[in-house]
Amino acid sequence: MPPPPGPFRPGFWRSPIRGPWLTSVFGLVLLVGVPLLFVTGLLSYASYNPGLSPLNDETPDKGVLGFYLFGWPTHPSWLYRLLQGAHVTLGVVLVPVLLAKLWSVIPKLFEWLPVRSVAHGLERLSLLLLVGGAVFEFATGILNIQLYYVFPGSFYRLHFYGAWVFIAAFVVHVCLRLGRLTRALRSRGLRAELRTGLTHTVPEPPDPDGLVAAAPAPATMSRRGAVGMVGAGSLLLLVVTVGQSIGGRLRRTALLAPHNRDPGAGPNGFQINKTAAAVGVTSALVGPGWRLEVHGRGAPRVFTREQLLAMPQHAAALPVACVEGWSTDDQHWSGLRLADLAALAGMPEAGSVVVQSIQPPGPFTRVVLRANQINDPRALLALRVNGADLSLDHGYPARVIVPANPGVNNTKWVHRLTFRA
């Protein structure tokens, strides 16, 4: 059966630099970067303590894919900030490499006949899952960073299941192609290729995969230029992204970050994810009638904010870090230790605590913290920050702040703590 007109015909693809070597250079970068993305993503999933309670888990049907090996630690306090910042920044930096890799193998996507045998069909299916999974994961991740939620469902669920599809196809592809990648990289020296200019750029020898053009056009870019362009693109994305995780003066360079906006001056002048107005928390809900309920053994204890402020106060310097990759520098929080509140509830050895916000019901309006998070002396029900009362957007009248905890689990506008064995 002859191929139809257009991209299915071998003569359609004419770039003289496309070939196994250039494809393998981009593939080698992804071979290192993709596993790092997957591991940091799994650790980010673990930081939510999904095995502790269904309240913490946005993937209730995960089955064996949601294996949970350990309780999330509170030391060091910047652990989640580092891991999620690395996950998001690496994902953005790899975008030019992924696009270049897809460009380098695009003739394979239009191979004719599409399926020649059962074995070939399975290889094509794995390629479809690999390309589709990669595009889906990078696209949903970038949209989430920009807080642009156009997903047909929960981002957490879609990104979680998409990651497993992608990594399964990735492993199959590596097993099938690792030998060819190694041979292609050995076929041409990197140093020599990077010294080869445009006038001396010639096509690679014909290859069995059909990546080398059958009728190459004159070169308009050298392989050195292609590698340099992709590297420069990744470097540029690094510069305009990493500042949102590092903070300080570099935050001004985070042009792609949705939280590069000036949060204002004063003690509460640091980044937030969602404002009180965005989630339906009004001054009426947190006015003079607000009370904190502490449940445990015996009758519930009820406190006004003034009563909480009259108790012994403790301080901790902790950052806020969110799943979108942004984080703050250490802020100086003060309030009551969660361990002291557990003792007040008659449960000094509490195994967990349900933290409930006064905001209208929705995802993460209730979370569960582990015993090690309760007992860390830096884990607070914070009432003040940087020497001032919390602002409404930062969780007034009270919020939780726990070392190494994802920002969304540092619940704001807390009105009930339920300690459990």
Side-chain angles (χ1 to χ4, degrees):
M1 183 181 298
F8 290 96
R9 297 196 173 182
F12 183 86
W13 307 104
R14 303 190 61 196
S15 172
I17 66 173
R18 185 182 281 116
W21 184 85
L22 189 60
T23 295
S24 297
V25 169
F26 297 139
L28 180 62
V29 177
L30 293 175
L31 184 61
V32 176
V34 167
L36 286 175
L37 272 182
F38 185 68
V39 170
T40 52
L42 280 184
L43 290 173
S44 178
Y45 170 76
S47 69
Y48 285 77
N49 286 318
L52 181 62
S53 169
L55 295 179
N56 293 9
D57 195 2
E58 290 290 302
T59 55
D61 303 321
K62 60 190 179 299
V64 296
L65 298 181
F67 61 87
Y68 188 64
L69 300 178
F70 58 91
W72 190 247
T74 58
H75 295 273
S77 62
W78 42 260
L79 177 61
Y80 184 76
R81 182 184 186 187
L82 173 65
L83 288 174
Q84 195 60 20
H87 180 75
V88 169
T89 302
L90 180 60
V92 172
V93 167
L94 286 179
V95 167
V97 184
L98 175 67
L99 294 177
K101 178 66 160 63
L102 292 177
W103 171 86
S104 72
V105 298
I106 197 169
K108 294 291 293 180
L109 303 181
F110 292 92
E111 191 176 67
W112 191 262
L113 291 168
V115 178
R116 300 170 185 168
S117 64
V118 173
H120 184 249
L122 292 175
E123 181 182 353
R124 297 287 288 174
L125 177 61
S126 71
L127 186 62
L128 175 64
L129 294 176
L130 177 69
V131 174
V135 172
F136 180 83
E137 284 298 285
F138 278 80
T140 54
I142 290 172
L143 289 174
N144 179 66
I145 294 169
Q146 297 302 319
L147 304 179
Y148 189 57
Y149 298 112
V150 292
F151 318 115
S154 166
F155 160 76
Y156 297 91
R157 186 175 302 182
L158 294 172
H159 204 65
F160 176 83
Y161 291 124
W164 279 108
V165 172
F166 173 45
I167 201 65
F170 180 81
V171 170
V172 171
H173 186 73
V174 169
C175 291
L176 293 174
R177 298 288 177 174
L178 186 59
R180 296 182 186 183
L181 179 144
T182 303
R183 290 192 295 271
L185 291 175
R186 290 175 176 174
S187 68
R188 309 172 82 88
L190 177 63
R191 183 176 300 178
E193 200 63 45
L194 294 182
R195 290 176 177 173
T196 303
L198 178 62
T199 56
H200 296 91
T201 296
V202 296
E204 295 184 49
D207 68 300
D209 292 321
L211 295 179
V212 178
T220 57
M221 176 182 287
S222 65
R223 294 181 185 86
R224 176 180 66 186
V227 172
M229 182 177 66
V230 173
S234 291
L235 180 60
L236 177 62
L237 289 177
L238 174 67
V239 170
V240 299
T241 302
V242 72
Q244 69 169 347
S245 302
I246 296 177
R249 293 184 178 180
L250 284 177
R251 190 175 301 280
R252 299 175 183 176
T253 67
L255 302 180
L256 296 184
H259 296 281
N260 189 45
R261 301 173 299 225
D262 184 2
N268 283 273
F270 56 96
Q271 283 70 23
I272 58 172
N273 195 333
K274 295 181 180 179
T275 64
V279 298
V281 174
T282 63
S283 299
L285 291 175
V286 296
W290 175 88
R291 298 292 185 269
L292 175 71
E293 299 177 13
V294 180
H295 295 254
R297 289 194 180 96
R301 305 287 298 274
V302 181
F303 303 93
T304 65
R305 193 169 190 275
E306 289 70 24
Q307 289 172 324
L308 296 175
L309 285 169
M311 297 178 184
Q313 304 290 296
H314 299 274
L318 298 171
V320 177
C322 277
V323 69
E324 294 89 3
W326 66 267
S327 58
T328 72
D329 298 327
D330 282 354
Q331 307 299 319
H332 296 272
W333 310 88
S334 63
L336 304 176
R337 286 176 175 165
L338 294 182
D340 294 340
L341 290 168
L344 281 176
M347 301 191 68
E349 304 297 331
S352 63
V353 60
V354 181
V355 183
Q356 187 167 339
S357 175
I358 205 170
Q359 72 183 86
F364 301 109
T365 57
R366 293 185 298 162
V367 300
V368 180
L369 302 177
R370 303 180 65 87
N372 66 311
Q373 294 174 312
I374 298 171
N375 294 322
D376 192 296
R378 298 165 296 172
L380 304 176
L381 179 73
L383 306 173
R384 294 167 61 83
V385 63
N386 298 323
D389 288 342
L390 295 169
S391 67
L392 184 59
D393 285 340
H394 279 300
Y396 179 89
R399 67 170 294 167
V400 163
I401 187 74
V402 176
N405 205 30
V408 73
N409 279 4
N410 287 326
T411 308
K412 297 190 286 188
W413 312 293
V414 175
H415 87 104
R416 180 179 298 164
L417 298 172
T418 304
F419 291 93
R420 307 185 299 188

